[in-house]
Amino acid sequence: MGANLKIFVGYDSREDIAWQVCRFSLRRHASANIDIHPLKQATLRELGLYTRGPDKASTEFSLTRFLTPYLAAHDGWTLFVDCDFLFTTDVLKALKHVRKDKAVYVVKHVYTPANTVKMDGKLQTTYPRKNWSSFMLFNNAHPAVKALTPEVVNCETPAFLHRFSWLSDELIGELPLGWNFLEGEYPRPQQTPPAIHFTNGGPWFPQWQNVHFGDLWRAERDRYLQSMERGVAV
């Protein structure tokens, strides 16, 4: 099953180092080969797969994330994850929670954001099922996922997409909180979560140096930079 997992990481040109560290942490802990790709809006526009006009979203991948299963082009499991994640364990462990009768698996957060501003000064918004779409494990073989075509992604409203209105509720499976642990929104746990999400802002921004688990992110960044100096492929 691990060999069939494809991963697409949301890419934002303002957060290149976040994407690099996210990818590095995924590969460093993986117990089997995983395919990891950056989801770049500019490339998707060049390919004619993303044709929406400019929006005011806080990231460049706000809506392109929903192209993930189409881009994966296989019937296995595909993961989309925001670039502001740090993985501290093998991502393939998430697959032990899945069943093939579900179309997608997410962490079903129910919360009100603690901050009114996030990342590099972007306004924080509140809406139903917020942050469910920041870690989505797609069952590409499911008919409901196959119906999530580029036409749907390009024509439907952001609310329709992010609130999973393209699915019936019983098709949305639930993952344990640790697979999308929102730093700053939940109390710091005693055990390190498997996937830390710096949703409000991470240590790559000067004003977000004192976040929980920031030391782990900086250590992972240093490993990545050292690997680049040694010429080790990542």
Side-chain angles (χ1 to χ4, degrees), residues 18 59 102 142 153 200 211 213:
T59 67
K102 302 295 185 183
H142 200 286
V153 176
N200 296 313
V211 296
F213 305 112

Side-chain angles (χ1 to χ4, degrees), residues 7-12 15-29 36 59 61 65 79-91 94 105-109 111 118-119 130-137 175-183 185-186 192-205 211-214 216-221 223-224:
I7 301 174
F8 288 79
V9 180
Y11 182 86
D12 193 298
E15 301 180 84
D16 179 77
I17 189 61
W19 135 254
Q20 300 288 0
V21 173
C22 179
R23 175 178 59 169
F24 187 83
S25 69
L26 280 163
R27 285 189 172 160
R28 189 169 72 86
H29 293 288
I36 309 174
T59 67
F61 52 85
R65 72 187 68 207
L79 173 65
F80 168 82
V81 62
D82 285 8
C83 65
D84 51 359
F85 268 74
L86 174 70
F87 287 84
T88 66
T89 193
D90 184 3
V91 69
Y105 276 83
V106 300
V107 173
K108 296 183 177 181
H109 301 288
Y111 78 107
K118 64 177 181 177
M119 295 192 296
K130 183 176 177 64
N131 255 316
W132 286 26
S133 62
S134 55
F135 185 111
M136 295 182 286
L137 195 52
L175 292 170
L177 175 63
W179 286 108
N180 190 349
F181 182 81
L182 305 179
E183 187 283 326
E185 300 294 346
Y186 297 112
T192 302
I196 301 165
H197 185 186
F198 296 100
T199 181
N200 296 313
W204 52 96
F205 291 121
V211 296
H212 291 161
F213 305 112
L216 297 185
W217 187 89
R218 285 185 288 269
E220 198 73 14
R221 176 204 58 197
R223 291 188 191 96
Y224 161 70

Side-chain angles (χ1 to χ4, degrees), residues 23-44:
R23 175 178 59 169
F24 187 83
S25 69
L26 280 163
R27 285 189 172 160
R28 189 169 72 86
H29 293 288
S31 60
N33 183 56
I34 51 177
D35 294 326
I36 309 174
H37 308 274
L39 199 60
K40 295 186 176 183
Q41 184 182 131
T43 302
L44 294 170

Side-chain angles (χ1 to χ4, degrees), residues 144-211:
V145 173
K146 290 183 179 296
L148 191 61
T149 63
E151 182 179 8
V152 172
V153 176
N154 284 302
C155 295
E156 290 291 353
T157 66
F160 178 89
L161 295 168
H162 280 286
R163 298 178 190 182
F164 293 82
S165 299
W166 44 278
L167 283 177
S168 55
D169 288 354
E170 66 270 15
L171 295 180
I172 307 174
E174 185 168 9
L175 292 170
L177 175 63
W179 286 108
N180 190 349
F181 182 81
L182 305 179
E183 187 283 326
E185 300 294 346
Y186 297 112
R188 179 169 182 160
Q190 290 185 342
Q191 292 188 328
T192 302
I196 301 165
H197 185 186
F198 296 100
T199 181
N200 296 313
W204 52 96
F205 291 121
Q207 68 272 36
W208 293 99
Q209 292 301 302
N210 297 321
V211 296

